[in-house]
Amino acid sequence: MERFEKAERLRRLPPYLFKEIDRKKAEVRARGVDIIDLGVGDPDLPTPGHIVEAMKKAVEDPSNHRYPSYSGMEGFREAVADWYQERFNVTAEPLKEVLSLIGSKEGIAHFPLAFVNPGDTVLVPSPAYPVYNIGTLFAGGRSFFMPLLAENGFLPDLEAIPHDVASSARAIFINYPNNPTAATAEPEFFERVVAFAKKHGIIVCHDAAYSEMTFDGFRPSSFLEVKGAMEVGVEFHSLSKTYNMTGWRIGFAVGNASAIEGLGAVKSNIDSGVFQAVQMAGIEALRGDQGCVAEMCAIYQRRRDVMTEGLISAGFKLEKPKATFYLWVKVPAGYTSAGITARLLEEAGLVVTPGNGFGEPGEGYFRMALTQKEDRLKEAIKRLKALSL
Ligand SMILES: *Cc1c(COP(=O)(O)O)cnc(C)c1O
């Protein structure tokens, strides 16, 4: 074998479908085009000041310079439990049912290492955040993809999963409010997932990263609000989107004590927890004034309105989302996801993400992230209208 030949687990990764866009983006930028990047889901807004101040203070304290505890500071886990009680009326035992994470991506990626044996099946939505599939693959598992289709409100059709697949699956990943489709789920869907998981002995992993990024007064439920959910699953959460803290790397998992214990056991052998100063900032975020969250939602809601109306008047078709900072837009007749993405970049300097990059059933859509200021979105609309599609 060649010295640096990659391990199977890297060679088995799905092809990186954004490579072509990355290359084109560099090429268009080199031509001097003013690019408007609506590609990545990274907030352009800063972390609220009171959270930054808490971090500054915590950084000065030498007791925070040492190794943190593996499963997270008690104070952070208590703040998470209190936040769950307040926000969802869900009671979680801070030391047994809460775990701090180095961002929720880290927890999601490591979760299968705790519960999936080589060859085991995991039910994974498609299109989706890529980490559910990749975490499964790294654990040697196999993903069974559940297509998220417009006719089902972008919810997986649990009835369509063959019985032998469901009964042998170890876990199911779900994510609402959803990236990339911006779809939301009602508690009734979570009830069906709990019943399905009970029937087949499956662990439910719900990624709730966007539960606070919502519009028009919509307040999504936690999966854990549903009766029996604590017996079958965990919910992954993040401070990244709620408090514009993507760079800080802090998230958490809440749920079944055995699930939390298993994930904690994997993590204690791989990482050494979250920098305590960051956890102190996290406590401030969760316990502090939540006005900053309302302000953030108001900004994204205005952007959503501007962009949705602009897209519709430029002839595109989409639903106005109730949550997330994404728009999931149908590609115009005669185009593929890759085709429209290339044309928007080359002729309008607009970066969007082709839907099929999130999984084959995403073909026929592109995703726009509302991570630019309103005047830039208006400029994007002007350019869209100037294209004759
Ligand atoms: C942004 C995002 C996350 C959050 O990731 P962090 O690691 O907490 O920054 C999780 N899930 C989805 C679907 C996301 O889009």
Side-chain angles (χ1 to χ4, degrees), residues 136-191:
T136 300
L137 292 180
F138 278 1
R142 274 196 291 239
S143 298
F144 177 88
F145 291 107
M146 307 178 289
L148 304 186
L149 307 174
E151 65 252 40
N152 300 323
F154 300 106
L155 302 172
D157 181 359
L158 302 175
E159 304 288 311
I161 299 166
H163 193 273
D164 59 320
V165 173
S167 60
S168 65
R170 290 292 293 140
I172 180 172
F173 280 101
I174 52 172
N175 162 225
Y176 294 95
N178 184 258
N179 175 13
T181 68
T184 57
E186 294 301 318
E188 181 267 339
F189 169 70
F190 293 145
E191 282 166 18

Side-chain angles (χ1 to χ4, degrees), residues 6-33:
K6 302 277 193 314
E8 270 304 312
R9 74 178 59 78
L10 284 182
R11 288 192 288 147
R12 279 177 55 203
L13 287 182
Y16 180 67
L17 284 175
F18 305 132
K19 208 194 257 170
E20 184 55 19
I21 301 195
D22 291 349
R23 194 189 59 76
K24 272 212 190 86
K25 194 163 117 182
E27 185 190 297
V28 171
R29 183 165 279 141
R31 288 208 304 260
V33 174

Side-chain angles (χ1 to χ4, degrees), residues 45 48 50-51 83 87 210-215 219 239 241-244 285-286 288-300:
L45 306 168
H50 65 288
I51 300 172
W83 185 79
R87 168 68 178 85
Y210 294 96
S211 74
E212 307 312 297
M213 194 185 274
T214 63
F215 315 122
R219 298 281 278 168
L239 285 87
K241 311 293 162 54
T242 310
Y243 302 103
N244 300 320
L286 293 169
D289 186 356
Q290 300 300 300
C292 58
V293 181
E295 276 168 37
M296 167 196 75
C297 290
I299 291 170
Y300 288 126

Side-chain angles (χ1 to χ4, degrees), residues 17 126-127 148-151 154 180-181 315-319 327-341 344 352-368:
L17 284 175
S126 178
L148 304 186
L149 307 174
E151 65 252 40
F154 300 106
T181 68
F316 289 91
K317 290 198 177 72
L318 73 155
E319 297 278 339
L327 301 178
W328 189 238
V329 189
K330 273 193 88 72
V331 308
Y335 287 92
T336 59
S337 294
I340 189 71
T341 303
L344 292 180
V352 301
T353 313
N356 62 318
F358 300 99
E360 209 271 321
E363 176 57 46
Y365 292 87
F366 63 89
R367 190 192 75 177
M368 239 182 204

Side-chain angles (χ1 to χ4, degrees), residues 41 102-106 108 129 132 175 177 179 207 209-210 237-241 245-246 249-251 326 367:
I102 310 171
S104 56
K105 180 179 187 178
E106 178 267 307
I108 291 164
Y129 187 56
Y132 317 133
N175 162 225
N179 175 13
D207 179 355
Y210 294 96
H237 241 294
S238 174
L239 285 87
S240 287
K241 311 293 162 54
M245 291 175 75
T246 46
R249 311 313 302 136
I250 182 163
Y326 302 115
R367 190 192 75 177

